[in-house]
Structure formats: structure tokens, C-alpha cells
Amino acid sequence: MFVVASPLPDRQAWQLWGKARLVEDERNIMWQLHSSSDDPFHNLALEDALLSSFDDLGPGLLTYVNRLSVVLGKNQVPWRECDMALLKRQGIPLARRISGGGTVVHDPGNLNVSLFLNRSSYQADAVYRRFIEVLGAVRVAA
């Protein structure tokens, strides 16, 4: 479980449980958070809470690894995307994220990444460079 202090004066008042860093360089400040939970519902709720707090938190990156689960995009129809009976028989949770996109299988072998930016500040090259830096910070070779 993560607890974020609110409000966050100067984005310096992080009160987080788990692995978190506030990265500051000459260009910007970007928070980085890796959830230690493997619960897809927890991680999707955390993602939603961070997005809802964007005005206070500013740009950042969330990473997490879920246990075996199926995650739907906000507009997907479960019975068209999944074998619902199979998921139930095998006890595989079905969750829905707030963003669009297709249905994906999550498991301990994939790293999920959520990047929080203003649309106006999105520059693909800068984002990719920053993303590779962040992966290095959480010890993932890119």
C-alpha cells in the first residue's frame, strides 16, 4: 500500500511506502514510483489515483508487475475479448483500466509502465530518453 501526502508542497513532500524517488535535474522534476504489489486491482487503482492527482504531483512514471491477470481497456467488452468461463475456472482475475487500448494478459514476466505528462509537454525523443533513464534507475537494461 502506498500513501501519498497531500498537498505536496514543491513536490518534495513524498510520503510513500515502497520504492519511490523524486528525480530532479536541470530540465525538470519527475517522480518515479515502482509498486511492490502484484495485485492488478491495487496497481490499477494506484494508477488512477496518481492520474487524478496529476495537478499536485506533476510529471512522473509508475512501474509495476502484476500476477497473472487479464486487463481490459475502458471500452472493451469482456465476453468478446475473453473466455470468461476459462478465467473463472482458473481463478484468473479480470480487471479494467481507465485508459483505452486493447485487452492484455499481465503476468510476472512483463513490466507495466504508466507515464504521466501534460499533452503539451510531450516530445517523443525526450520521453524515450527519459524512459530509458528511468528503466536504468529501476535496474532494467534497455
Side-chain angles (χ1 to χ4, degrees), residues 11-51:
R11 289 185 264 177
Q12 300 288 327
W14 281 96
Q15 298 295 322
L16 296 169
W17 296 338
K19 300 175 187 173
R21 312 178 355 152
L22 183 67
V23 175
E24 187 172 355
D25 60 27
E26 66 279 356
R27 298 168 304 209
N28 57 27
I29 296 173
M30 177 181 275
W31 55 266
Q32 301 166 3
L33 175 63
H34 179 74
S35 171
S36 56
S37 173
D38 70 349
D39 181 333
F41 300 104
H42 172 91
N43 288 326
L44 291 170
L46 175 60
E47 185 178 73
D48 185 30
L50 292 170
L51 181 60

Side-chain angles (χ1 to χ4, degrees), residues 64-77:
Y64 58 90
V65 176
N66 285 333
R67 65 178 176 258
L68 180 61
S69 55
V70 174
V71 178
L72 299 166
K74 71 177 180 178
N75 297 312
Q76 302 305 145
V77 179

Side-chain angles (χ1 to χ4, degrees), residues 1-139:
M1 165 104 21
F2 296 94
V3 176
V4 178
S6 182
L8 298 174
D10 300 322
R11 289 185 264 177
Q12 300 288 327
W14 281 96
Q15 298 295 322
L16 296 169
W17 296 338
K19 300 175 187 173
R21 312 178 355 152
L22 183 67
V23 175
E24 187 172 355
D25 60 27
E26 66 279 356
R27 298 168 304 209
N28 57 27
I29 296 173
M30 177 181 275
W31 55 266
Q32 301 166 3
L33 175 63
H34 179 74
S35 171
S36 56
S37 173
D38 70 349
D39 181 333
F41 300 104
H42 172 91
N43 288 326
L44 291 170
L46 175 60
E47 185 178 73
D48 185 30
L50 292 170
L51 181 60
S52 296
S53 300
F54 181 83
D55 289 341
D56 291 327
L57 299 175
L61 187 91
L62 168 67
T63 57
Y64 58 90
V65 176
N66 285 333
R67 65 178 176 258
L68 180 61
S69 55
V70 174
V71 178
L72 299 166
K74 71 177 180 178
N75 297 312
Q76 302 305 145
V77 179
W79 54 90
R80 289 187 177 170
E81 300 289 325
C82 308
D83 182 339
M84 300 296 290
L86 177 68
L87 293 179
K88 185 174 181 177
R89 272 194 316 274
Q90 295 196 2
I92 299 171
L94 177 64
R96 183 179 299 278
R97 67 181 173 281
I98 60 169
S99 61
T103 300
V104 293
V105 174
H106 288 195
D107 68 19
N110 67 310
L111 177 68
N112 299 287
V113 177
S114 299
L115 180 63
F116 300 84
L117 291 174
N118 281 325
R119 287 185 190 268
S120 63
S121 66
Y122 177 78
Q123 297 173 359
D125 289 343
V127 167
Y128 294 132
R129 272 194 312 276
R130 188 63 162 181
F131 181 68
I132 289 170
E133 289 172 16
V134 170
L135 288 176
V138 294
R139 295 185 174 84

